[in-house]
Amino acid sequence: MYYIGFDLGSSSIKAALVEIKTGKSLGVVQEPETEMSMLALKNGWAEQNPEEWWKHICKAIERLKRKYAVSKTDIKGIGISYQMHGLVIVDKDGKPLRKSIIWCDSRAVEIGNTAFEAIGEEKCAAHLLNSPANFTASKLRWVKENEPEVYANIYKFMLPGDYIAYKFSNKINTTISGLSEGIFWDFKTDGIAQFLLDYYEIEETLVPTIVDTFGLQSKVDEKGAEESGLAIGTPIFYRAGDQPNNALSLNVFNPGEVAATGGTSGVVYAVTDSLSGKESTRVNNFAHVNYKKSDPRIGKLLNINGAGIQYRWLLNNLAVNSYEEMNTLASEIGIGADGVCMLPFGNGAERMLNNKDIGTRLVNVNLNNHHKGHLCRAALEGIAFSFVYGMEILKSDGINVNVIRAGNDNLFRSDIFANTVATLIGYEIEIYNTTGAIGAARAAGLHEGDFDTYGKLIMDNDHVMTFMPFKDKKPYQEAYQNWKKELELVLNNK
């Protein structure tokens, strides 16, 4: 018997089957095998057709069933992870009224900034734990302002994962975690953020019914079964945005546990029981998957745009053939790269730097003594230092750290990167070989509430290794302080 999990990204959809008894992954498929299309009618816009998501979900199910000879009746539950902050709006028949305005669309930035100023930083921080910013609520307001004829026909808004659940079941609902990522949740009243709806002139009737993150959310109906190939009555047991789901996939649920991702961009997602919104302009705060008012669990999300993309740029522009070669070159250079520093912030404005766009900076290069090995070392250290800098921001906002867990991918495959972060933070970094789709599939089993067994499944199946902090921190601390000094020089001149 199996659970099936979906990870709806902006470039593709991944689907996974896991054995219910062991938690072992049977297999993962990706649809489409290339990349989903994205519409950008204007600079800064990004839209996708929700019907395309559903089409790829159905294809992924068919491929999994065929490849692993699994019957639809063998699949006993569904878990859904999805790209955060997107907006799907439907009419009374459940048909999308326009394409989805997805997470990376920036058209509502000014709407959110104006709301933040008008409502007040103190109230937003205390109630929303965030600025309204460019999140789902602000995108819905953009539709009201710019497409009033569309807005007038809205029956409900949904987040991307809500829409997939609806297509399976013909039931429109959402979760507290989902509403918080759209900035619709008031943590003070533990209810819908009515004051923000009033400010944006959005009717509360547009908000879907709220269901628990873990539990029976809905069941596959006849139409959903016919289109998807799953059995009528298959329960949807779990739904969450991709970053909370990534944390769940790494068994990150409790205060002091941190999930990290080191891909094209970097993410640090720290769980806390603090409702602090002190750094609400630099850090996003969402209800984590196991949030309850009586026992709050907040995911503090810090994003670093300029991370792996910098190392990839070096791969493409240095005379090297692979990341492995770059890592070898870097390992031949001492800690601190003989004074060479690289600031990795060359992928647009950085929220953690108060939305300053400072670009990538390479400094202290001696043309007689330094070569590409120094650049590789400085790049890896610079990205690691940016993670440490972000952790300092999170600590100033009330988080404690006991352990960092990360996927076995991209930057965390580099010993230099992982050892640098572990040593400067002073905590272990546990590496796991898992994916969001596998995590979503396993999370379908959490409707039974057994988090201990869930964590054991991850340890038994996914643990790869643990990086321990080095005892001799001094050279790492000196290199970090040199890097930080260069960063602050740039920030002070911006």
Side-chain angles (χ1 to χ4, degrees):
M1 299 296 107
Y2 305 96
Y3 289 134
I4 191 167
F6 303 101
D7 187 8
L8 165 58
S10 48
S11 59
S12 68
I13 287 163
K14 295 181 178 67
L17 283 171
V18 301
E19 292 179 344
I20 293 176
K21 186 176 181 180
T22 66
K24 182 179 179 181
S25 171
L26 191 64
V28 181
V29 299
Q30 175 179 303
E31 279 289 337
E33 295 185 52
T34 51
E35 193 166 302
M36 283 194 292
S37 60
M38 191 182 297
L39 180 66
L41 294 174
K42 295 184 180 180
N43 288 339
W45 287 23
E47 300 181 358
Q48 288 182 321
N49 184 350
E51 291 288 355
E52 289 291 308
W53 301 337
W54 177 241
K55 179 182 74 175
H56 293 309
I57 289 273
C58 296
K59 284 185 177 179
I61 293 169
E62 176 57 32
R63 281 181 59 197
L64 278 174
K65 286 165 54 185
R66 185 173 62 248
K67 185 173 182 179
Y68 298 102
V70 170
S71 164
K72 62 184 179 182
T73 57
D74 292 332
I75 298 172
K76 300 300 182 182
I78 299 167
I80 301 169
S81 167
Y82 59 88
Q83 49 175 294
M84 298 172 73
H85 320 308
L87 173 68
V88 180
I89 48 178
V90 298
D91 63 17
K92 286 186 177 180
D93 295 322
K95 293 182 179 177
L97 289 164
R98 67 176 328 283
K99 288 183 170 62
S100 172
I101 303 175
I102 67 172
W103 67 276
C104 52
D105 185 295
S106 59
R107 74 186 70 187
V109 168
E110 285 308 312
I111 289 173
N113 289 345
T114 301
F116 188 54
E117 187 175 333
I119 295 168
E121 180 175 350
E122 187 175 333
K123 184 165 186 177
C124 287
H127 289 260
L128 305 174
L129 308 186
N130 296 283
S131 161
N134 185 44
F135 296 116
T136 313
S138 301
K139 290 168 179 170
L140 184 55
R141 174 64 193 185
W142 183 92
V143 174
K144 184 178 178 71
E145 287 183 6
N146 294 275
E147 299 174 349
E149 69 291 346
V150 172
Y151 184 88
N153 287 306
I154 298 176
Y155 172 61
K156 297 288 180 185
F157 73 80
M158 287 183 265
L159 296 157
D162 302 335
Y163 181 76
I164 297 304
Y166 161 72
K167 291 295 287 184
F168 275 121
S169 65
N170 200 37
K171 301 286 185 186
I172 298 177
N173 50 43
T174 191
T175 64
I176 290 175
S177 180
L179 289 174
S180 79
E181 80 182 54
I183 318 301
F184 289 103
W185 195 253
D186 187 332
F187 288 90
K188 279 274 191 182
T189 65
D190 204 44
I192 303 299
Q194 189 62 54
F195 72 92
L196 184 65
L197 295 185
D198 291 344
Y199 176 82
Y200 277 160
E201 299 178 311
I202 293 169
E203 300 81 5
E204 189 175 351
T205 56
L206 302 187
V207 180
T209 302
I210 299 172
V211 294
D212 290 337
T213 299
F214 306 108
L216 180 56
Q217 298 176 348
S218 56
K219 295 180 180 180
V220 175
D221 73 345
E222 186 175 350
K223 185 168 185 265
E226 181 182 347
E227 294 181 4
S228 71
L230 295 183
I232 295 173
T234 305
I236 299 173
F237 281 135
Y238 164 77
R239 190 181 327 162
D242 52 12
Q243 291 304 330
N245 180 75
N246 180 61
L248 168 141
S249 303
L250 294 166
N251 195 31
V252 169
F253 292 104
N254 300 306
E257 297 173 348
V258 177
T261 305
T264 300
S265 60
V267 171
V268 180
Y269 184 97
V271 176
T272 178
D273 55 7
S274 166
L275 296 179
S276 166
K278 173 177 173 284
E279 293 286 359
S280 61
T281 60
R282 297 202 284 175
V283 175
N284 301 138
N285 301 276
F286 307 119
H288 193 34
V289 291
N290 56 340
Y291 169 86
K292 295 177 184 176
K293 178 159 179 75
S294 60
D295 192 17
R297 293 291 182 268
I298 303 299
K300 288 187 174 291
L301 190 156
L302 182 136
N303 190 71
I304 305 161
N305 290 336
I309 190 171
Q310 177 184 266
Y311 213 45
R312 186 173 70 210
W313 186 90
L314 282 177
L315 174 67
N316 293 335
N317 289 280
L318 288 178
V320 292
N321 297 311
S322 67
Y323 289 124
E324 289 75 15
E325 181 183 349
M326 292 170 68
N327 291 343
T328 299
L329 287 167
S331 69
E332 295 168 355
I333 306 300
I335 299 165
D338 194 25
V340 179
C341 283
M342 194 176 289
L343 306 180
F345 307 111
N347 191 27
E350 290 284 356
R351 182 174 169 84
M352 79 168 185
L353 302 180
N354 287 312
N355 287 319
K356 291 182 178 180
D357 187 353
I358 67 172
T360 283
R361 306 292 178 103
L362 175 63
V363 298
N364 302 333
V365 176
N366 184 307
L367 300 178
N368 296 307
N369 300 329
H370 297 143
H371 53 72
K372 59 187 176 184
H374 293 85
L375 300 190
C376 294
R377 179 91 196 194
L380 281 173
E381 288 184 340
I383 302 166
F385 295 154
S386 72
F387 273 69
V388 175
Y389 189 82
M391 292 290 292
E392 289 179 354
I393 295 171
L394 289 170
K395 285 185 176 182
S396 77
D397 203 16
I399 74 148
N400 295 308
V401 180
N402 297 325
V403 65
I404 300 173
R405 298 189 177 113
N408 185 30
D409 58 0
N410 301 319
L411 290 168
F412 284 98
R413 287 180 176 166
S414 161
D415 288 358
I416 290 173
F417 174 83
N419 285 325
T420 300
V421 175
T423 301
L424 285 169
I425 297 298
Y427 303 101
E428 298 176 5
I429 299 180
E430 298 175 357
I431 306 298
Y432 294 86
N433 190 23
T434 189
T435 70
I438 292 171
R442 287 182 182 146
L446 282 171
H447 70 280
E448 298 175 350
D450 190 349
F451 285 79
D452 290 338
T453 296
Y454 175 87
K456 188 173 184 302
L457 293 178
I458 293 174
M459 285 299 296
D460 289 348
N461 288 287
D462 303 338
H463 184 252
V464 177
M465 65 179 298
T466 298
F467 288 96
M468 305 294 291
F470 291 150
K471 290 182 179 178
D472 185 8
K473 293 185 176 185
K474 187 175 179 181
Y476 290 94
Q477 290 170 332
E478 289 176 350
Y480 176 54
Q481 290 306 318
N482 288 338
W483 179 91
K484 195 173 177 180
K485 180 180 70 177
E486 298 294 346
L487 173 62
E488 288 172 351
L489 282 172
V490 175
L491 293 177
N492 291 335
N493 289 324
K494 275 284 181 177

